[in-house]
PDB file of all heavy atoms in Angstrom:
ATOM      1  N   LEU A  84      78.641-120.468 -46.610  1.00 87.00           N
ATOM      2  CA  LEU A  84      80.002-119.931 -46.593  1.00 87.00           C
ATOM      3  C   LEU A  84      80.317-119.197 -47.888  1.00 87.00           C
ATOM      4  O   LEU A  84      80.940-118.116 -47.883  1.00 87.00           O
ATOM      5  CB  LEU A  84      81.007-121.064 -46.377  1.00 87.00           C
ATOM      6  CG  LEU A  84      82.488-120.651 -46.336  1.00 87.00           C
ATOM      7  CD1 LEU A  84      82.724-119.675 -45.176  1.00 87.00           C
ATOM      8  CD2 LEU A  84      83.384-121.879 -46.198  1.00 87.00           C
ATOM      9  N   ALA A  85      79.867-119.767 -49.013  1.00 87.00           N
ATOM     10  CA  ALA A  85      80.110-119.107 -50.300  1.00 87.00           C
ATOM     11  C   ALA A  85      79.401-117.758 -50.359  1.00 87.00           C
ATOM     12  O   ALA A  85      79.971-116.751 -50.824  1.00 87.00           O
ATOM     13  CB  ALA A  85      79.646-120.017 -51.444  1.00 87.00           C
ATOM     14  N   ALA A  86      78.123-117.770 -49.864  1.00 90.00           N
ATOM     15  CA  ALA A  86      77.394-116.499 -49.853  1.00 90.00           C
ATOM     16  C   ALA A  86      78.054-115.494 -48.927  1.00 90.00           C
ATOM     17  O   ALA A  86      78.181-114.301 -49.250  1.00 90.00           O
ATOM     18  CB  ALA A  86      75.938-116.743 -49.451  1.00 90.00           C
ATOM     19  N   HIS A  87      78.502-116.003 -47.735  1.00 89.00           N
ATOM     20  CA  HIS A  87      79.155-115.115 -46.768  1.00 89.00           C
ATOM     21  C   HIS A  87      80.459-114.550 -47.327  1.00 89.00           C
ATOM     22  O   HIS A  87      80.709-113.348 -47.248  1.00 89.00           O
ATOM     23  CB  HIS A  87      79.391-115.886 -45.470  1.00 89.00           C
ATOM     24  CG  HIS A  87      80.087-115.060 -44.424  1.00 89.00           C
ATOM     25  ND1 HIS A  87      79.492-113.976 -43.815  1.00 89.00           N
ATOM     26  CD2 HIS A  87      81.347-115.166 -43.891  1.00 89.00           C
ATOM     27  CE1 HIS A  87      80.338-113.450 -42.953  1.00 89.00           C
ATOM     28  NE2 HIS A  87      81.472-114.166 -42.977  1.00 89.00           N
ATOM     29  N   THR A  88      81.267-115.455 -47.875  1.00 88.00           N
ATOM     30  CA  THR A  88      82.548-114.989 -48.433  1.00 88.00           C
ATOM     31  C   THR A  88      82.321-114.087 -49.640  1.00 88.00           C
ATOM     32  O   THR A  88      83.086-113.144 -49.858  1.00 88.00           O
ATOM     33  CB  THR A  88      83.423-116.187 -48.819  1.00 88.00           C
ATOM     34  OG1 THR A  88      82.680-117.052 -49.706  1.00 88.00           O
ATOM     35  CG2 THR A  88      83.847-116.980 -47.590  1.00 88.00           C
ATOM     36  N   ASN A  89      81.283-114.368 -50.411  1.00 87.00           N
ATOM     37  CA  ASN A  89      80.985-113.499 -51.554  1.00 87.00           C
ATOM     38  C   ASN A  89      80.582-112.109 -51.089  1.00 87.00           C
ATOM     39  O   ASN A  89      81.027-111.097 -51.646  1.00 87.00           O
ATOM     40  CB  ASN A  89      79.883-114.132 -52.395  1.00 87.00           C
ATOM     41  CG  ASN A  89      79.581-113.304 -53.639  1.00 87.00           C
ATOM     42  OD1 ASN A  89      80.494-112.919 -54.370  1.00 87.00           O
ATOM     43  ND2 ASN A  89      78.308-112.993 -53.853  1.00 87.00           N
ATOM     44  N   ALA A  90      79.764-112.077 -50.024  1.00 90.00           N
ATOM     45  CA  ALA A  90      79.363-110.774 -49.481  1.00 90.00           C
ATOM     46  C   ALA A  90      80.572-110.025 -48.928  1.00 90.00           C
ATOM     47  O   ALA A  90      80.733-108.815 -49.145  1.00 90.00           O
ATOM     48  CB  ALA A  90      78.301-110.970 -48.403  1.00 90.00           C
ATOM     49  N   ILE A  91      81.418-110.806 -48.198  1.00 90.00           N
ATOM     50  CA  ILE A  91      82.637-110.171 -47.648  1.00 90.00           C
ATOM     51  C   ILE A  91      83.521-109.669 -48.778  1.00 90.00           C
ATOM     52  O   ILE A  91      84.066-108.551 -48.734  1.00 90.00           O
ATOM     53  CB  ILE A  91      83.393-111.161 -46.748  1.00 90.00           C
ATOM     54  CG1 ILE A  91      82.572-111.444 -45.480  1.00 90.00           C
ATOM     55  CG2 ILE A  91      84.763-110.614 -46.397  1.00 90.00           C
ATOM     56  CD1 ILE A  91      83.197-112.494 -44.578  1.00 90.00           C
ATOM     57  N   ALA A  92      83.680-110.515 -49.842  1.00 88.00           N
ATOM     58  CA  ALA A  92      84.542-110.129 -50.962  1.00 88.00           C
ATOM     59  C   ALA A  92      83.989-108.888 -51.647  1.00 88.00           C
ATOM     60  O   ALA A  92      84.733-107.966 -51.985  1.00 88.00           O
ATOM     61  CB  ALA A  92      84.652-111.290 -51.953  1.00 88.00           C
ATOM     62  N   GLN A  93      82.642-108.867 -51.864  1.00 89.00           N
ATOM     63  CA  GLN A  93      82.042-107.701 -52.498  1.00 89.00           C
ATOM     64  C   GLN A  93      82.201-106.466 -51.629  1.00 89.00           C
ATOM     65  O   GLN A  93      82.537-105.367 -52.118  1.00 89.00           O
ATOM     66  CB  GLN A  93      80.562-107.961 -52.789  1.00 89.00           C
ATOM     67  CG  GLN A  93      80.321-108.965 -53.909  1.00 89.00           C
ATOM     68  CD  GLN A  93      78.832-109.161 -54.183  1.00 89.00           C
ATOM     69  OE1 GLN A  93      77.994-108.606 -53.470  1.00 89.00           O
ATOM     70  NE2 GLN A  93      78.516-109.955 -55.199  1.00 89.00           N
ATOM     71  N   ARG A  94      81.940-106.684 -50.292  1.00 90.00           N
ATOM     72  CA  ARG A  94      82.064-105.547 -49.377  1.00 90.00           C
ATOM     73  C   ARG A  94      83.504-105.034 -49.338  1.00 90.00           C
ATOM     74  O   ARG A  94      83.762-103.825 -49.376  1.00 90.00           O
ATOM     75  CB  ARG A  94      81.582-105.965 -47.985  1.00 90.00           C
ATOM     76  CG  ARG A  94      81.536-104.801 -46.993  1.00 90.00           C
ATOM     77  CD  ARG A  94      80.779-105.180 -45.735  1.00 90.00           C
ATOM     78  NE  ARG A  94      81.325-106.353 -45.077  1.00 90.00           N
ATOM     79  CZ  ARG A  94      80.756-107.561 -45.045  1.00 90.00           C
ATOM     80  NH1 ARG A  94      79.582-107.762 -45.665  1.00 90.00           N
ATOM     81  NH2 ARG A  94      81.328-108.589 -44.414  1.00 90.00           N
ATOM     82  N   ASN A  95      84.456-105.967 -49.259  1.00 89.00           N
ATOM     83  CA  ASN A  95      85.867-105.562 -49.228  1.00 89.00           C
ATOM     84  C   ASN A  95      86.276-104.894 -50.541  1.00 89.00           C
ATOM     85  O   ASN A  95      87.031-103.914 -50.557  1.00 89.00           O
ATOM     86  CB  ASN A  95      86.756-106.772 -48.969  1.00 89.00           C
ATOM     87  CG  ASN A  95      86.626-107.273 -47.534  1.00 89.00           C
ATOM     88  OD1 ASN A  95      86.207-106.518 -46.651  1.00 89.00           O
ATOM     89  ND2 ASN A  95      86.968-108.530 -47.299  1.00 89.00           N
ATOM     90  N   GLN A  96      85.758-105.458 -51.652  1.00 86.00           N
ATOM     91  CA  GLN A  96      86.112-104.869 -52.947  1.00 86.00           C
ATOM     92  C   GLN A  96      85.525-103.471 -53.064  1.00 86.00           C
ATOM     93  O   GLN A  96      86.178-102.540 -53.563  1.00 86.00           O
ATOM     94  CB  GLN A  96      85.609-105.764 -54.076  1.00 86.00           C
ATOM     95  CG  GLN A  96      86.136-105.365 -55.454  1.00 86.00           C
ATOM     96  CD  GLN A  96      85.655-106.294 -56.539  1.00 86.00           C
ATOM     97  OE1 GLN A  96      84.501-106.184 -56.960  1.00 86.00           O
ATOM     98  NE2 GLN A  96      86.514-107.222 -56.963  1.00 86.00           N
ATOM     99  N   GLN A  97      84.266-103.296 -52.600  1.00 90.00           N
ATOM    100  CA  GLN A  97      83.666-101.971 -52.622  1.00 90.00           C
ATOM    101  C   GLN A  97      84.421-101.004 -51.709  1.00 90.00           C
ATOM    102  O   GLN A  97      84.648 -99.840 -52.074  1.00 90.00           O
ATOM    103  CB  GLN A  97      82.196-102.062 -52.195  1.00 90.00           C
ATOM    104  CG  GLN A  97      81.299-102.778 -53.207  1.00 90.00           C
ATOM    105  CD  GLN A  97      79.876-102.974 -52.686  1.00 90.00           C
ATOM    106  OE1 GLN A  97      79.588-102.626 -51.538  1.00 90.00           O
ATOM    107  NE2 GLN A  97      79.002-103.555 -53.524  1.00 90.00           N
ATOM    108  N   ALA A  98      84.819-101.517 -50.527  1.00 91.00           N
ATOM    109  CA  ALA A  98      85.597-100.664 -49.611  1.00 91.00           C
ATOM    110  C   ALA A  98      86.929-100.291 -50.235  1.00 91.00           C
ATOM    111  O   ALA A  98      87.384 -99.145 -50.131  1.00 91.00           O
ATOM    112  CB  ALA A  98      85.799-101.384 -48.279  1.00 91.00           C
TER     113      ALA A  98
END
Side-chain angles (χ1 to χ4, degrees):
L84 180 61
H87 179 68
T88 54
N89 183 49
I91 292 176
Q93 289 181 355
R94 186 168 57 252
N95 289 339
Q96 190 178 77
Q97 291 174 357

